[in-house]
């Protein structure tokens, strides 16, 4: 997997969820980058900041879970961000009681009925 540190896992139902080493932040305006975000981050070390132009948000990667949570939580409740959220990882598996699921090739096409495997909506 791509989890950089060992952390606690919270059990939800029959699944476990882990904190990953990333947080995502979306600023309310571009001016906040130099006037707020960079000065705020200067109080921390051992992180990497990356801008995602497609989503117009920042990804903060950190190999220390305490620092990552301090950054995400410190940014969360300010007037400068729309959101600041840690990223979580959860193992998922198909669990359906739909008796017709196998016939619904648009959901998960494995080539049933002679179709081309993989041509589906990837659910």
């Amino acid at each position: 997997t791509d989890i950089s540190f060992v952390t606690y896992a919270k059990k939800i139902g029959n699944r476990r969820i882990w904190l990953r080493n990333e947080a995502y932040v979306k600023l309310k305006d571009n001016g906040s980058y130099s006037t707020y975000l960079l000065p705020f981050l200067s109080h921390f070390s051992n992180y990497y900041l990356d801008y995602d132009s497609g989503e117009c948000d920042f990804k903060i990667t950190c190999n220390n879970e305490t620092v990552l949570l301090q950054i995400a939580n410190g940014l969360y409740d300010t007037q400068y961000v729309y959101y600041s959220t840690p990223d979580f990882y959860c193992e998922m598996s198909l669990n359906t009681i739909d008796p017709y699921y196998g016939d619904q090739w648009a959901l998960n096409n494995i080539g049933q009925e002679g179709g081309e495997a993989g041509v589906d909506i990837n659910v």
Side-chain angles (χ1 to χ4, degrees):
T1 68
D2 56 346
I3 299 173
S4 293
F5 44 75
V6 178
T7 184
Y8 66 90
K10 179 172 175 72
K11 193 167 185 180
I12 301 174
N14 292 332
R15 307 221 191 292
R16 292 179 296 169
I17 186 169
W18 291 269
L19 173 65
R20 291 188 56 211
N21 65 318
E22 298 170 349
Y24 294 90
V25 177
K26 184 170 186 119
L27 298 174
K28 288 186 177 178
D29 64 67
N30 291 335
S32 295
Y33 174 76
S34 59
T35 60
Y36 179 73
L37 184 62
L38 288 181
F40 176 82
L41 291 175
S42 71
H43 300 284
F44 301 94
S45 60
N46 299 321
Y47 71 88
Y48 177 76
L49 183 64
D50 185 37
Y51 182 69
D52 181 348
S53 59
E55 296 294 325
C56 297
D57 66 3
F58 292 89
K59 176 173 73 172
I60 300 170
T61 305
C62 185
N63 288 333
N64 181 304
E65 72 176 45
T66 302
V67 172
L68 180 70
L69 288 174
Q70 288 173 343
I71 291 171
N73 289 339
L75 291 169
Y76 177 76
D77 230 354
T78 71
Q79 63 191 13
Y80 302 104
V81 301
Y82 285 116
Y83 58 79
S84 172
T85 181
D87 192 18
F88 292 92
Y89 171 81
C90 180
E91 296 175 331
M92 301 296 293
S93 63
L94 176 64
N95 184 12
T96 180
I97 58 171
D98 182 354
Y100 299 106
Y101 180 80
D103 298 328
Q104 298 174 28
W105 59 267
L107 299 178
N108 186 20
N109 186 356
I110 57 172
Q112 61 269 53
E113 304 295 325
E116 183 178 341
V119 179
D120 56 35
I121 61 173
N122 295 318
V123 295

